[in-house]
Amino acid sequence: GAVVSQHPSRVICKSGTSVKIECRSLDFQATTMFWYRQFPKKSLMLMATSNEGSKATYEQGVEKDKFLINHASLTLSTLTVTSAHPEDSSFYICSARGASLDRGYGYTFGSGTRLTVV
Amino acid sequence: AQTVTQSQPEMSVQEAETVTLSCTYDTSESDYYLFWYKQPPSRQMILVIRQEAYKQQNATENRFSVNFQKAAKSFSLKISDSQLGDAAMYFCAGNQGGKLIFGQGTELSVKP
């Protein structure tokens, strides 16, 4: 089945620095990738949608300059949290879809990244 | 825009018993899918079951089944013969414009 690898699983960074999270589709071409943010015991909040080779589409209220998304290839999307602050601490999850996949089955999730900004 | 609502923040079930988790939704699309995902403490999202809106027959996957009421925009999940490993957060979700939109989640605990 479709597998999505997300790294790192945990990261601690200092306030003001940037951190990059990678999301890779291992056995399929991900034409679309989604980035979610999840607070403890809360739902997944969609942050942005990215299509390979084009600019990401951000959801309302998400700062595009704070959360930089790059989807340069069909197997890799990255989320960079720039100038991180403690309020950016959260659990970030990526999801990928392939054009060839039945759109009902096409959402495969990474294992998530726990970001802590100190 | 699509909305997905889960009105039960927490549910509890006795091992081997049956429990039903509720979900309602609203969508402007005529053709859509609905999903139930499980998120255990590891936080890995696991697809439990999916339903295609144009299919009238309710989806079933082993001990998991749904009650899809299209007119009422209701999509509940029934877990039969509950097991300790079923304890997790359960999210109802629907796709809108290619995006997956989640409900608030229901935390299910299973009592031995």
Side-chain angles (χ1 to χ4, degrees):
Chain A
V3 178
V4 171
S5 175
Q6 184 174 343
H7 290 283
S9 58
R10 292 174 181 265
V11 59
I12 301 173
C13 71
K14 291 185 177 181
S15 185
T17 62
S18 297
V19 62
K20 180 183 288 187
I21 302 169
E22 290 190 350
C23 181
R24 293 181 184 272
S25 56
L26 298 185
D27 51 3
F28 68 101
Q29 292 184 327
T31 51
T32 306
M33 286 193 172
F34 308 89
W35 288 94
Y36 292 86
R37 181 174 182 174
Q38 185 181 31
F39 291 102
K41 302 231 174 179
K42 296 293 184 183
S43 186
L44 281 72
M45 181 190 77
L46 180 64
M47 299 174 65
T49 303
S50 71
N51 293 296
E52 185 263 340
S54 59
K55 289 184 177 181
T57 302
Y58 290 82
E59 296 299 305
Q60 190 173 6
V62 177
E63 300 175 62
K64 59 182 67 177
D65 295 329
K66 158 71 77 175
F67 300 100
L68 299 179
I69 292 171
N70 183 279
H71 191 170
S73 78
L74 284 172
T75 59
L76 174 65
S77 177
T78 60
L79 168 66
T80 301
V81 182
T82 63
S83 187
H85 291 286
E87 56 265 30
D88 299 324
S89 298
S90 192
F91 191 70
Y92 294 88
I93 307 175
C94 71
S95 175
R97 282 189 60 195
S100 62
L101 294 173
D102 175 346
R103 65 186 179 96
Y105 279 120
Y107 303 93
T108 305
F109 288 83
S111 54
T113 298
R114 182 183 300 278
L115 169 64
T116 303
V117 184
V118 298
Chain B
Q2 182 173 68
T3 58
V4 180
T5 303
Q6 294 176 252
S7 58
Q8 305 156 316
E10 298 176 351
M11 291 285 285
S12 181
V13 64
Q14 204 73 34
E15 194 176 7
E17 298 293 309
T18 296
V19 64
T20 299
L21 307 184
S22 301
C23 174
T24 58
Y25 66 93
D26 194 12
T27 181
S28 57
E29 298 199 349
S30 58
D31 186 18
Y32 54 91
Y33 290 79
L34 297 166
F35 308 82
W36 278 97
Y37 281 89
K38 172 184 178 180
Q39 188 181 43
S42 68
R43 304 189 82 167
Q44 175 70 55
M45 296 293 286
I46 302 167
L47 177 64
V48 175
I49 198 167
R50 73 162 192 166
Q51 175 79 41
E52 297 161 85
Y54 67 87
K55 287 189 176 180
Q56 294 185 345
Q57 187 174 8
N58 289 325
T60 299
E61 289 287 344
N62 300 313
R63 297 182 296 107
F64 300 88
S65 62
V66 299
N67 183 5
F68 176 46
Q69 301 290 325
K70 191 172 184 178
K73 295 184 177 177
S74 171
F75 182 62
S76 60
L77 174 70
K78 185 172 82 172
I79 305 174
S80 304
D81 185 26
S82 297
Q83 300 175 359
L84 295 178
D86 294 334
M89 284 289 289
Y90 285 82
F91 293 100
C92 177
N95 65 331
Q96 170 88 16
K99 300 184 289 188
L100 205 54
I101 305 300
F102 288 89
Q104 300 89 330
T106 297
E107 184 172 15
L108 178 67
S109 59
V110 181
K111 297 179 180 178

